[in-house]
Amino acid sequence: MKYIACFGDSLIEGYPFGPECSWCKVAEEDSDFRLLNYGVCGECCDEIFWRLEHTPLQENLYGIIFLGGANDALCGRPPQLAVQDIDRVAKFAAEHKLRFAVVLPLISNDLELNSRLREVTNLLKTRSYFFIDLQEGIGYGADELARAYVDGVHPTIATYAKMGMVAKLQIEQFLEGE
């Protein structure tokens, strides 16, 4: 069994339903990996990194999956700062000999937020990280996006389930890429 720590914001946590309904929980069903949910609603990337540095991690940890950036954009933090924080997480993972993957920012039902998150995505894609893209579980069209979210940003239970199915396949690829 491989254990992967998932650090991030509400989209890791499974807000507003809780970790038991998160995409992480769905992805690990019937798999040979466990996703340890360290998601906290409302955190920006610098706060998530601080929490990572101060969280005792289990000894047999295989890797870290990181998802953040939406709260940074909502708080007006420049995309460059969010990506610098993600780079710090990647460095932390490397120093601890852990594999590292980043969940790309999700397209929400908030057009203004999406434009800021595209900047984060574009900066991230200049890195050589392993990327997990869960957008397929949400959809791309206006109607799909409207149905996918409870409040325009946080997925419905059904959407979290679809995201988990998409994540499972990509996490299996992440595990194969040793």
Side-chain angles (χ1 to χ4, degrees), residues 34-71:
R34 288 293 164 258
L35 300 177
L36 308 173
N37 190 321
Y38 293 101
V40 174
C41 186
E43 288 191 334
C44 293
C45 291
D46 59 340
E47 296 166 308
I48 299 166
F49 176 68
W50 184 92
R51 198 163 37 83
L52 168 63
E53 281 189 310
H54 294 88
T55 299
L57 300 174
Q58 64 185 67
E59 288 183 32
N60 62 342
L61 194 63
Y62 176 80
I64 295 172
I65 292 176
F66 184 91
L67 190 162
N71 292 314

Side-chain angles (χ1 to χ4, degrees), residues 1-4 28 31-35 58 60 62:
M1 184 68 60
K2 292 186 177 173
Y3 293 89
I4 303 168
E28 71 178 14
S31 71
D32 61 349
F33 59 85
R34 288 293 164 258
L35 300 177
Q58 64 185 67
N60 62 342
Y62 176 80

Side-chain angles (χ1 to χ4, degrees), residues 39-136:
V40 174
C41 186
E43 288 191 334
C44 293
C45 291
D46 59 340
E47 296 166 308
I48 299 166
F49 176 68
W50 184 92
R51 198 163 37 83
L52 168 63
E53 281 189 310
H54 294 88
T55 299
L57 300 174
Q58 64 185 67
E59 288 183 32
N60 62 342
L61 194 63
Y62 176 80
I64 295 172
I65 292 176
F66 184 91
L67 190 162
N71 292 314
D72 298 77
L74 289 168
C75 291
R77 285 187 83 221
Q80 298 83 351
L81 291 181
V83 173
Q84 285 175 6
D85 293 327
I86 295 168
D87 291 340
R88 292 168 55 202
V89 174
K91 182 178 178 193
F92 176 94
E95 289 169 351
H96 290 83
K97 297 180 176 35
L98 300 169
R99 302 272 331 276
F100 178 67
V102 177
V103 179
L104 290 172
L106 303 173
I107 298 170
S108 71
N109 203 25
D110 180 326
L111 297 177
E112 185 179 328
L113 175 61
N114 289 343
S115 69
R116 287 182 265 161
L117 290 177
R118 269 194 290 284
E119 292 180 55
V120 173
T121 298
N122 291 339
L123 289 169
L124 281 172
K125 286 189 173 181
T126 66
R127 281 33 178 196
S128 59
Y129 301 143
F130 186 95
F131 295 110
I132 296 173
D133 187 351
L134 303 181
Q135 196 65 45
E136 183 182 318

